Amino acid sequence: MNNSGFNFENTYLHLPEIFYTKLVPIPVPEPEMVILNTSLATDLGLDFSEIISKKRAELFSGNQMPKAADPFAQAYAGHQFGHLTMLGDGRAIVWGEHITPTGQRFDLQFKGSGRTPYSRGGDGRAALGPMLREYIISEAMHALNIPTTRSLAVVTNGEQVYRETPSPGAILTRVASSHIRVGTFQYAALQQDNETIQALLDYTIKRHHLEIEENQNKALSLLKAVSEKQAGLITHWMRVGFIHGVMNTDNMALSGETIDYGPCAFMDTYDPSTVFSSIDHGGRYAYANQPAIAQWNLARLAETLLPLMDENIGKAKELAEDAINGFGVVYKEKSLSMLRTKVGLFGEEPEDEGLITDLLNWMQQKGVDYTNTFLDLMKEESPKGEPYNSDTFKEWHKRWQVRRSKNKEPLESSWALMRANNPVIIPRNHKVEQALGAATNSDLQPLKDLLAALREPYENSPDLKPYQSPPKPEEKVCQTFCGT
Ligand code: AMP
Ligand code: MG
């Protein structure tokens, strides 16, 4: 097989050995390509055009890996729904770090590549539906300009996996800035050895935050840097109505990328308490809880860094608490700024927060669609018909016009600001489910059409119409499953 442009350099293996187990993927009987992300491949400096489909499937199933790959499964821990558990890649294997022609470093990782020492009771495999869900949503998030891991390929493996029902087994190739998670630090802290935590801290700074390498208190600096990135990330999620669904600490990446697309989905009707995941009974990971959960996860990260923050544990706790409280302040600022962009406001006025809160409250009361309400506001004419005929809305609209007239920028800039921050299309869950259902029955057309529609989510076009409507009552899919 030609090299296809792979350029590996596997620095993760320089960490102490307890952080990983070297192993190769378990071979699969009959791999077949489902989808290959050629535009991502090109961005990575990879070219598979010379390889016939059968050989590509051998590559993306792990049956035949590139020579320079040095595959391993990562060890980590994590709070799952609030409870600390020993985890690790139970069905994932990192091939190694690929360096792109422009010098960027990305982990390539299989998901669904067979059992590892961290599999616990699991079969190490993945079903086609959930792997394609990750492909669709991660690529949609990327197109929405939201930091995320990417999806390079999905293959079926020629076997059935047994979940609620039997379904085709599949392997996803994920591309990520790294797979260092809050849970990786929790795992390091559980070793009760400061050198282990220090090694992971130094490695993470080298990989993601070189700018703090010379700082005196590196542990505190990293905590603050990661908090800042997470505040930005969650703000993006809230902007587009994304609900992650399993914000366990092993699913929070220190790179600040959205990671681990399990039962995630986008909200249709605006309701802050929206939950899709079938296992999130208490609504722990509901839409509106996401900022608070991110902060909770960051507090777990802070705990692991305490011994490196200050010799005096009381002082270390004070520093960490300040940083964690800082997340709340930064998030509030970012969130308000983001909401201003959604309604085209420049500058800051004292009435902004009330104006936006009143709109959101009205939206919730009326049960309107989150995405489409902002699209309606983006029309030059004031929106007509139901539900906009209400006096409450009309009065709000007048207040909005008054506030908008305080913008120093011209009206056209205000429209442009709204257009840049309000997607015209999101991967609505009923459309995702339709595409996954068809793909599982060997019809890939709806998947391809959906992916094409999601490519330019801020550009309106008549072709997008079928994807813009919220689900009809009979189309509604209210629950999503991890599919693990
Ligand atoms: P997730 O909810 O996808 O973040 O998975 C939580 C943990 O369970 C991770 O460590 C996974 O690697 C592991 N896991 C999930 N599904 C399986 C499976 N089918 N076999 C083995 N391990 C799994
Ligand atoms: Mg995970």
Side-chain angles (χ1 to χ4, degrees):
M1 194 181 291
N2 78 12
N3 176 48
S4 309
F6 288 114
N7 179 20
F8 286 107
E9 185 191 83
N10 302 332
T11 57
Y12 203 79
L13 299 173
H14 303 165
L15 281 170
E17 281 178 16
I18 50 151
F19 281 107
Y20 56 85
T21 302
K22 284 206 198 192
L23 79 177
V24 292
I26 312 279
V28 302
E30 249 182 273
E32 235 178 85
M33 285 309 294
V34 177
I35 193 158
L36 173 66
N37 192 338
T38 44
S39 92
L40 172 59
T42 305
D43 289 350
L44 294 171
L46 299 174
D47 179 4
F48 305 105
S49 59
E50 305 276 292
I51 307 176
I52 58 166
S53 181
K54 198 165 164 19
K55 288 275 183 198
R56 284 187 205 165
E58 292 288 332
L59 174 68
F60 288 111
S61 64
N63 278 2
Q64 198 183 349
M65 299 204 60
K67 277 204 189 69
D70 200 355
F72 60 92
Q74 291 179 324
Y76 51 85
H79 274 94
Q80 298 186 300
F81 289 90
H83 304 283
L84 186 64
T85 318
M86 270 297 185
L87 296 163
D89 288 335
R91 55 167 175 172
I93 285 183
V94 178
W95 310 20
E97 298 143 34
H98 166 71
I99 316 293
T100 70
T102 56
Q104 285 178 293
R105 180 183 301 271
F106 290 104
D107 277 5
L108 299 185
Q109 190 207 47
F110 282 134
K111 198 164 166 183
S113 50
R115 288 181 55 81
T116 76
Y118 314 107
S119 293
R120 299 174 292 159
D123 61 3
R125 292 297 180 195
L128 179 59
M131 294 306 98
L132 288 176
R133 176 183 285 276
E134 171 149 348
Y135 190 107
I136 297 168
I137 312 262
S138 63
E139 289 308 299
M141 293 290 266
H142 173 72
L144 286 161
N145 303 327
I146 300 178
T148 177
T149 64
R150 305 281 308 271
S151 299
L152 182 60
V154 175
V155 298
T156 46
N157 65 11
E159 289 178 327
Q160 296 279 303
V161 295
Y162 297 88
R163 302 294 184 257
E164 280 86 15
T165 50
S167 97
I171 300 172
L172 169 87
T173 301
R174 173 153 83 184
V175 180
S177 291
S178 87
H179 285 87
I180 306 166
R181 311 139 190 275
V182 170
T184 319
F185 276 85
Q186 291 181 293
Y187 174 82
L190 286 167
Q191 310 307 313
Q192 304 205 314
D193 165 28
N194 287 356
E195 279 182 24
T196 305
I197 310 172
Q198 186 75 51
L200 183 62
L201 173 68
D202 291 342
Y203 180 76
T204 306
I205 289 174
K206 271 218 159 61
R207 202 146 167 190
H208 295 299
H209 287 288
L210 267 181
E211 76 282 2
I212 61 172
E213 203 178 23
E214 303 298 326
N215 285 16
Q216 268 223 308
N217 195 334
K218 289 198 267 187
L220 182 61
S221 300
L222 182 73
L223 178 62
K224 285 183 177 170
V226 172
S227 297
E228 175 89 24
K229 274 199 178 166
Q230 285 297 329
L233 181 65
I234 307 292
T235 303
H236 273 301
W237 292 2
M238 304 304 275
R239 173 169 68 79
V240 298
F242 174 74
I243 302 167
H244 183 285
V246 249
M247 289 177 70
N248 294 335
T249 55
D250 54 306
N251 292 338
M252 184 189 262
L254 267 74
S255 64
E257 289 175 343
T258 311
I259 193 169
D260 239 344
Y261 293 89
C264 59
F266 283 70
M267 175 170 68
D268 295 298
T269 303
Y270 180 68
D271 177 358
S273 68
T274 305
V275 171
F276 283 92
S277 169
S278 62
I279 55 171
D280 191 359
H281 304 296
R284 180 180 170 89
Y285 301 140
Y287 173 75
N289 276 1
Q290 297 185 120
I293 287 291
Q295 189 175 33
W296 190 89
N297 288 348
L298 289 165
R300 305 290 76 75
L301 174 66
E303 283 163 3
T304 72
L305 293 169
L306 288 177
L308 306 184
M309 270 185 211
D310 200 288
E311 279 171 12
N312 176 330
I313 192 69
K315 180 87 198 334
K317 280 187 179 161
E318 242 173 62
L319 293 171
E321 258 169 40
D322 279 354
I324 298 300
N325 291 337
F327 171 90
V329 178
V330 173
Y331 175 75
K332 197 163 189 290
E333 274 169 19
K334 284 190 192 289
S335 167
L336 184 54
S337 301
M338 173 274 286
L339 289 164
R340 281 194 186 99
T341 69
K342 280 181 84 69
V343 288
L345 304 182
F346 289 101
E348 293 177 12
E349 296 294 337
E351 65 267 34
D352 291 354
E353 196 172 346
L355 182 73
I356 292 164
T357 308
D358 287 348
L359 173 67
L360 292 173
N361 286 344
W362 174 81
M363 285 167 61
Q364 184 178 1
Q365 217 175 35
K366 288 282 176 185
V368 293
D369 187 80
Y370 182 60
T371 304
N372 290 351
T373 301
F374 288 100
L375 294 191
D376 288 342
L377 292 180
M378 276 156 63
K379 292 177 184 141
E380 304 237 351
E381 300 254 309
S382 146
K384 304 251 155 16
E386 270 309 310
Y388 301 112
N389 285 338
S390 80
D391 289 342
T392 318
F393 178 78
K394 285 183 188 157
E395 190 235 333
W396 180 87
H397 198 271
K398 272 194 203 127
R399 283 165 60 205
W400 180 41
Q401 298 315 308
V402 171
R403 168 58 184 90
R404 246 178 141 194
S405 68
K406 295 184 190 170
N407 281 348
K408 298 213 165 47
E409 289 71 4
L411 192 57
E412 185 39 49
S413 306
S414 170
W415 292 123
L417 185 66
M418 291 177 78
R419 280 197 298 273
N421 286 283
N422 293 309
V424 296
I425 176 171
I426 50 163
R428 292 185 185 271
N429 200 36
H430 65 295
K431 286 289 175 193
V432 173
E433 291 284 343
Q434 279 170 12
L436 299 184
T440 309
N441 289 306
S442 306
D443 174 10
L444 293 178
Q445 201 53 49
L447 170 74
K448 290 188 174 157
D449 293 345
L450 177 60
L451 287 169
L454 291 166
R455 220 165 271 151
E456 301 266 10
Y458 299 104
E459 297 292 325
N460 215 346
S461 120
D463 299 347
L464 299 182
K465 251 266 114 6
Y467 300 96
Q468 290 178 310
S469 310
K472 300 188 187 98
E474 68 276 15
E475 289 178 323
K476 256 191 195 156
V477 184
C478 299
Q479 274 203 333
T480 50
F481 300 88
C482 283
T484 48

